[in-house]
């Protein structure tokens, strides 16, 4: 297993050997490492990127040894997918400002470019026989998924115009008959909770797994060269899902995000069965099926830091995290709204009976959601005496397509209306001080903070916007092709085509109306929320005489250095303390300290993903999901964060 964790304040890659129960640190780079995978030969792949996110894949033997380029002759780029075939051939997707290049080769040898796709595209998979490549683009576009032959000629194009569609990877090699013995020639135990009675039928070879938006929900789908696309309407879910093949190729592990929590299912596409896999209430951040019917998963809830779990008896590493449970009381509320009830995860501090100040932690995306999951910022705030509201406003994932597409009042303005409604609900219940309500958000969440402060200035007493969208039109012009496509989908066109929509939803228009103390944090290397459009907004604040503070970091959008995150946390906590309770009323704002160490003595808190050795034909960079990430993983949405 490989996982990402903390190493002296940096995000780095670790390897864990289940046979020995020992972990070791794989990477040690000045600015951290995030992307990793395990190859078909069990070698560890990791992405060696510079501070702008550009680089290339390297590999290292699982038990240690020198790092070497994974493929020779491949120019640097941004990571946009990684997949392998049964014979060990690897496909690598690398991006640049103009589009995607796919390279094919054997690890350690020279690779050749086999495909060039313009625009925001990612590599979604390589078939087990090494003959087909799947590429995903905009999920709602006319070419949401395209299957190519390895000579670059298209074989099939799947449109998302009648329902968005995402590609999740090809079936592994040697997909057995449903009912054949499991891996190792041994039949699965009759008592296995993930199986149903067998039926000896074989799935097609080179089968591509898909998720399709279907009505007011989502369903699994597949494509194969002979049969074409097939929608499995019997396997429908009312909220967002992701999925990955079991190693036997006959079943699929489905992870559903539903109302801020997670559910797991073992789905057999032949027998048409869907069996729930018991997991504790909370959030499964990642999950990986094993060949022995076991599932490894990373679990958490609002009061419990992440921990690695197994449905079987395999020993898994202890993830170094803050000790014990998060202080305070963790609950939820539902607020009536124009398009249905708005769900809020609420953390309340232990108090002497007095009402605390309230901070809204505003999630980004916009196609993302807050989960019943550990959040270090929420931990710090609750421990410091603040109530914390995490609102899954309209446009959030985890509540179905209708909620995700609800922008009744316009981009951003709809979401601000939900924040205001939840504020009124919390105040009506008498849970917090009405004169001490603040906002804190990052990326698209930071955008909503700025928009809320400007459009409803009387509701808020402080705001922190970290790496936000601040000038919508300029952000479109300065952004990447993927983010321009996102903006055009949200607004219904470019700033030149629908200028008033961009202007109406832009924090820049309302900068002069801001009244609450405001802290803006920006990154000089940020490609998702470029510094130029933030400078435009700060200039507007200055011109209007609006007091504010600015904090600049020499970093991109997604920093891997813990020290930078801690610096922002401390600055924001101090700032909110002044704005919401005065200079002398704040408790200690020391961030929660992580503890625990790997077998080598290197601390490893908290893991953010689990990667197990892939079956050939499968993806090797973790499961796609609806979380906010780079465009480096096939099937994942492109979001600002």
């Amino acid at each position: 297993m490989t996982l990402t964790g903390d190493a002296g304040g940096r995000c780095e890659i670790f390897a864990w050997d289940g046979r020995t129960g020992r972990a070791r640190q794989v990477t040690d780079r000045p600015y951290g490492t995030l992307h990793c995978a395990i190859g078909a030969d069990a070698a560890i792949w990791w992405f060696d990127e510079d501070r702008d996110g550009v680089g290339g894949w390297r590999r290292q033997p699982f038990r240690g040894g020198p790092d070497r380029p994974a493929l020779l002759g491949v120019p640097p780029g941004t990571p946009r997918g990684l997949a392998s075939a049964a014979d060990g051939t690897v496909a690598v997707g690398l991006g640049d400002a103009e589009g995607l290049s796919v390279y094919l080769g054997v690890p350690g040898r020279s690779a050749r470019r086999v495909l060039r796709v313009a625009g925001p595209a990612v590599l979604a998979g390589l078939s087990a026989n090494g003959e087909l490549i799947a590429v995903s683009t905009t999920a709602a576009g006319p070419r949401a998924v395209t299957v190519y032959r390895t000579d670059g000629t298209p074989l099939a194009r799947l449109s998302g115009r009648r329902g968005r569609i995402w590609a999740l990877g090809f079936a592994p090699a040697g997909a057995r008959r449903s009912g054949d013995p499991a891996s190792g020639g041994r039949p699965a135990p009759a008592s296995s909770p993930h199986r149903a009675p067998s039926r000896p039928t074989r799935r097609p070879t080179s089968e591509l797994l898909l998720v399709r938006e279907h009505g007011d929900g989502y369903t699994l789908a597949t494509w194969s060269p002979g049969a074409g696309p097939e929608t499995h309407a019997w396997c429908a879910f009312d909220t967002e899902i992701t999925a990955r093949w079991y190693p036997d190729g006959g079943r699929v592990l489905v992870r559903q995000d539903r109302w801020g929590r997670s559910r797991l299912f073992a789905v057999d596409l032949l027998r048409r069965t869907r069996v729930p896999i018991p997991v504790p209430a909370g959030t499964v951040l990642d999950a990986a099926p094993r060949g022995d019917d076991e599932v490894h998963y990373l679990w958490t809830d609002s009061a419990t830091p992440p921990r690695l779990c197994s449905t079987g008896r395999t020993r898994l590493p202890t993830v170094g995290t803050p000790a014990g449970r998060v202080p305070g009381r963790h609950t939820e509320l539902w607020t009536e709204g124009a398009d249905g009830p708005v769900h809020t995860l609420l953390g309340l501090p232990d108090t002497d009976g007095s009402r605390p100040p309230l901070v809204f932690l505003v999630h980004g995306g916009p196609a993302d959601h807050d989960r019943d999951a550990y959040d270090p910022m929420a931990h710090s705030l609750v421990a410091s005496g603040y109530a914390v509201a995490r609102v899954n406003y309209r446009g959030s994932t985890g509540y179905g397509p209708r909620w995700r597409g609800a922008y009744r009042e316009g981009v951003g303005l709809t979401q601000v209306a939900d924040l205001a409604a939840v504020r009124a609900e919390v105040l009506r219940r008498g849970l917090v001080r009405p004169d001490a309500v603040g906002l804190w958000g990052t990326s698209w969440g930071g955008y909503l903070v700025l928009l809320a402060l400007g459009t409803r200035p009387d509701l808020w007493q402080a705001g922190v916007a970290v790496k936000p969208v601040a000038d919508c039109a300029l952000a479109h012009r300065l952004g990447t092709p993927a983010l321009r496509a996102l903006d055009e989908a949200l607004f219904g066109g470019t700033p030149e085509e629908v200028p008033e929509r961009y202007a109406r939803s832009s924090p820049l228009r309302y900068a002069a109306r801001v009244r609450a103390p405001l802290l803006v944090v920006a990154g000089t290397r940020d490609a998702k929320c470029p510094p130029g459009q933030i400078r435009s907004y700060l200039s507007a604040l200055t011109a209007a005489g609006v007091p504010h503070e600015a904090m600049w970091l020499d970093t991109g959008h997604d920093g891997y250095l813990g020290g930078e995150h801690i610096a922002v946390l401390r600055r924001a906590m101090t700032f909110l303390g002044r704005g919401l309770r005065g200079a002398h009323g704040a408790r200690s704002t020391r961030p929660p300290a992580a503890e625990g160490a790997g077998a080598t003595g290197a601390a490893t808190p908290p893991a953010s993903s689990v990667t197990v050795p892939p079956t050939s034909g499968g993806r090797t960079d973790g499961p796609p999901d609806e979380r906010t990430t780079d465009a480096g993983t096939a099937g994942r949405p492109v979001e600002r964060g």
Side-chain angles (χ1 to χ4, degrees), residues 369-386:
H369 66 277
D370 273 315
R371 297 162 170 80
D372 181 11
Y374 175 76
D375 185 316
M377 290 191 296
H379 185 163
S380 294
L381 287 164
V382 172
S384 299
Y386 297 91

Side-chain angles (χ1 to χ4, degrees), residues 157-222:
R157 289 193 174 98
L158 307 180
S159 173
R161 288 286 174 86
R162 295 186 178 180
R164 286 175 290 191
I165 187 168
W166 297 267
L168 307 183
F170 285 99
R176 62 181 181 81
R177 292 178 182 271
S178 179
D180 285 352
S183 59
R186 294 174 287 109
S191 60
S192 170
H194 310 163
R195 290 191 183 275
S198 302
R199 189 175 72 200
T201 318
R202 185 179 294 277
R203 300 295 306 175
T205 58
S206 300
E207 187 172 25
L208 180 64
L209 182 63
L210 307 162
V211 167
R212 181 183 290 277
E213 191 176 87
H214 188 67
D216 194 30
Y218 300 88
T219 185
L220 291 179
T222 50

